[in-house]
Amino acid sequence: EVAQRPPGSAVDVGAAPGGWTACLASPAWGCSKVYAVDPGQLDEEVLARPQVQHLQMRWQEAFECLRSAGVRLEVLTCDANIPCDQALDMLMAAGTRLLEPGALVVLTFKNCSRTKCDFEELKAKQLARLSDVCTQIKEVQLIANRKLE
């Protein structure tokens, strides 16, 4: 789908060290501008890409900077190490003031709950919230290398 309509601008929240940012800036995705948001350091090879701009701050500050500059985004990715309800809060904050209609959104729901049951309950609530603002939702279970992810 992305190859059919190359996106213009993208934001990668929780970008360090730069995996998603590198993907978005690659010829396969073809983003003309990628805002990598993370207070941490990005890999030097990722920073060397001409379309990458590192906003070395938290997402709340970065979104305000992007709004002030009139930036509109066609892709938002978030692999930040935050609970899934906070990831949804971040998406809602981006909302219509930053995201173009039909924007592609990729959120990683991190398991920060004490039990799997608690996480499943929280995730279900967040997916319901997501359905209020997104027209197409696809949930994919990723294999993680940590016990709670």
Side-chain angles (χ1 to χ4, degrees):
E1 177 185 337
V2 174
Q4 292 174 0
R5 57 177 186 96
S9 294
V11 66
D12 178 18
V13 178
W20 270 105
T21 300
C23 232
L24 294 167
S26 73
W29 280 70
C31 293
S32 59
K33 185 71 172 180
V34 181
Y35 300 96
V37 177
D38 199 300
Q41 295 294 317
L42 288 183
D43 183 84
E44 289 184 27
E45 288 182 28
V46 175
L47 279 173
R49 295 175 185 240
Q51 67 270 53
V52 172
Q53 181 179 345
H54 186 196
L55 301 177
Q56 199 166 7
M57 58 189 73
R58 299 201 178 278
W59 68 261
Q60 296 91 332
E61 301 165 79
F63 282 12
E64 190 53 44
C65 290
L66 295 172
R67 269 191 215 107
S68 296
V71 171
R72 300 289 293 173
L73 302 164
E74 295 171 324
V75 178
L76 180 148
T77 63
C78 177
D79 191 29
N81 193 19
I82 57 176
C84 60
D85 56 334
Q86 290 179 25
L88 247 296
D89 293 344
M90 181 269 313
L91 173 61
M92 301 302 187
T96 57
R97 294 188 340 197
L98 279 177
L99 296 176
E100 291 286 358
L104 176 65
V105 175
V106 178
L107 298 176
T108 302
F109 281 5
K110 304 284 183 170
N111 182 355
C112 298
S113 302
R114 290 189 182 267
T115 67
K116 185 175 181 179
C117 183
D118 289 346
F119 174 66
E120 292 298 329
E121 185 178 317
L122 180 61
K123 182 178 74 168
K125 288 178 184 175
Q126 301 319 307
L127 288 172
R129 280 179 68 197
L130 193 57
S131 68
D132 290 339
V133 295
C134 295
T135 56
Q136 296 178 355
I137 300 172
K138 182 176 181 179
E139 180 183 357
V140 176
Q141 175 76 39
L142 300 176
I143 304 296
N145 59 0
R146 291 186 23 204
K147 181 179 176 185
L148 293 177
E149 267 188 25

